[in-house]
Amino acid sequence: MISLHSCKLLARELCFGAYRVCSAGINLVCPPTIVLAYHRVAPHKEDPLQLTVTPQNFTAQLEVIAETFDDVLRFDAAQLHRTRPAVCLTFDDGYADNYSIALPILERFKMTATFFVSTGHVEHGRPYWWEALSVCGKLEDHGRILAMPPLEQHKAVYALLEECAFASEALEECQPLTVAALQEFSRHPLVCLGAHTHTHPRLSNLGAEDQYQEIKKSLDKLESWTAVRPTVAAYPFGARSLFGRFCDYNADSMQACRRLGLKRAAANFPGQVRPWTSRYAIPRHLVRDWDGAAFKAKLRTFLTRGYF
């Protein structure tokens, strides 16, 4: 007798199989753009958060992109869809290694990328709380910290760092950009900057006006430092459920981006960019530390996996 669990798994596979066939058919008449989401490019030994791609693997991934796509687009391009499949590279948070390690590799391939910056961390040199949890071996507290408002998050992280004597030295490897480095970074022709809120909160924890102010302050800070006001943003965390009912951002987040006159905003769920994709919920595929062969295989699934 087939168990209920087995039936559910079979139904899931059938649904996703039908979806992939449907998506492949749509690709023939409406080529997709794939937006990739990175965080860090750096050498590493242990990475429980899986946010870091080594320079060697990042180089291999860009080689695959160069072989696969004719167009590597900026996220602030007039349009994100082309007559052939295209790709867009994005980085979240504003880690210092985006400038020191990722950019020289991008230069080698002459590929543009968009960097979404959490300006409060840049302004104050504040450590990213998820990195502090990782360094201190407290990742089980991620959900609890994520649910806190920004001020409480900062207090909880600093309390944790006081208990964890070796954390400060370990966190030196994953620091945010400084304001001076960001200013120099922003002048590079391959670099596009975008807002990523000021304190990196889970936006859906905040009211409409607080969400608006978080995104606006990030835009204002970036403009004051670089003399250029960004036209794009990305939601911190940015996930949503299968049917979009529960998420790290919401309708108020999207409305805030509209009020601020932004071209588009990036979320963090898999999918392809089509002409009908919401400008304020652009899907992205999170990239892990894959070698060239694994990344090439993943790209094939990115073209047919996730939301339309």
Side-chain angles (χ1 to χ4, degrees), residues 1-14:
M1 182 175 179
I2 301 176
S3 67
L4 179 60
H5 179 67
S6 297
C7 288
K8 287 182 177 179
L9 288 177
L10 179 59
R12 178 188 174 95
E13 286 303 312
L14 289 172

Side-chain angles (χ1 to χ4, degrees), residues 115-159:
F115 299 84
F116 297 111
V117 180
S118 178
T119 48
H121 292 87
V122 171
E123 184 174 34
H124 303 294
R126 185 181 298 137
Y128 300 106
W129 62 261
W130 51 91
E131 296 286 2
L133 291 182
S134 177
V135 166
C136 296
K138 296 287 188 179
L139 283 177
E140 69 272 12
D141 290 336
H142 189 280
R144 180 176 64 85
I145 302 293
L146 178 62
M148 292 179 178
L151 184 58
E152 289 185 25
Q153 283 182 349
H154 299 157
K155 289 180 179 178
V157 169
Y158 281 117

Side-chain angles (χ1 to χ4, degrees), residues 37-290:
Y38 291 88
H39 289 82
R40 301 187 60 208
V41 176
H44 67 87
K45 296 180 181 178
E46 294 184 9
D47 181 26
L49 292 168
Q50 299 184 69
L51 298 181
T52 306
V53 177
T54 64
Q56 179 182 1
N57 282 342
F58 186 57
T59 300
Q61 291 174 8
L62 295 193
E63 288 174 349
V64 172
I65 288 170
E67 295 168 357
T68 306
F69 296 96
D70 294 331
D71 292 318
V72 179
L73 307 176
R74 288 168 57 108
F75 193 74
D76 65 352
Q79 291 185 329
L80 277 186
H81 48 86
R82 294 289 191 267
T83 56
R84 292 176 58 82
V87 67
C88 176
L89 309 181
T90 67
F91 287 76
D92 281 4
D93 302 329
Y95 286 92
D97 55 59
N98 292 177
Y99 178 38
S100 61
I101 300 178
L103 183 58
I105 300 173
L106 289 165
E107 286 179 320
R108 199 182 313 167
F109 290 88
K110 296 182 174 59
M111 289 186 186
T112 186
T114 301
F115 299 84
F116 297 111
V117 180
S118 178
T119 48
H121 292 87
V122 171
E123 184 174 34
H124 303 294
R126 185 181 298 137
Y128 300 106
W129 62 261
W130 51 91
E131 296 286 2
L133 291 182
S134 177
V135 166
C136 296
K138 296 287 188 179
L139 283 177
E140 69 272 12
D141 290 336
H142 189 280
R144 180 176 64 85
I145 302 293
L146 178 62
M148 292 179 178
L151 184 58
E152 289 185 25
Q153 283 182 349
H154 299 157
K155 289 180 179 178
V157 169
Y158 281 117
L160 176 65
L161 293 178
E162 287 182 358
E163 299 173 5
C164 191
F166 58 86
S168 296
E169 183 177 347
L171 286 171
E172 287 296 321
E173 298 180 1
C174 47
Q175 287 295 306
L177 288 155
T178 63
V179 173
L182 177 68
Q183 289 171 330
E184 188 172 347
F185 190 42
S186 70
R187 291 191 285 270
H188 197 284
L190 294 178
V191 170
C192 168
L193 295 184
H196 198 46
T197 72
H198 189 64
T199 64
H200 203 284
R202 186 184 196 183
L203 286 171
S204 58
N205 289 346
L206 306 179
E209 185 58 26
D210 287 339
Q211 292 193 45
Y212 175 84
Q213 292 299 331
E214 274 283 348
I215 300 170
K216 181 179 184 299
K217 191 169 184 178
S218 185
L219 292 168
D220 291 345
K221 287 289 182 182
L222 289 170
E223 183 177 22
S224 71
W225 295 334
T226 68
V228 177
R229 191 170 184 82
T231 60
V232 293
Y235 306 124
F237 310 106
R240 74 176 187 179
S241 70
L242 181 61
F243 299 106
R245 297 171 62 187
F246 306 101
C247 53
D248 298 321
Y249 67 99
N250 55 28
D252 291 333
S253 318
M254 300 168 74
Q255 181 59 26
C257 292
R258 289 190 189 94
R259 286 175 61 192
L260 289 163
L262 295 180
K263 285 183 180 179
R264 58 183 63 92
N268 233 347
F269 57 86
Q272 303 83 37
V273 181
R274 314 279 188 179
W276 55 83
T277 301
S278 170
R279 289 192 298 143
Y280 300 115
I282 299 294
R284 293 189 293 171
H285 294 274
L286 186 59
V287 180
R288 302 300 191 187
D289 189 30
W290 300 310

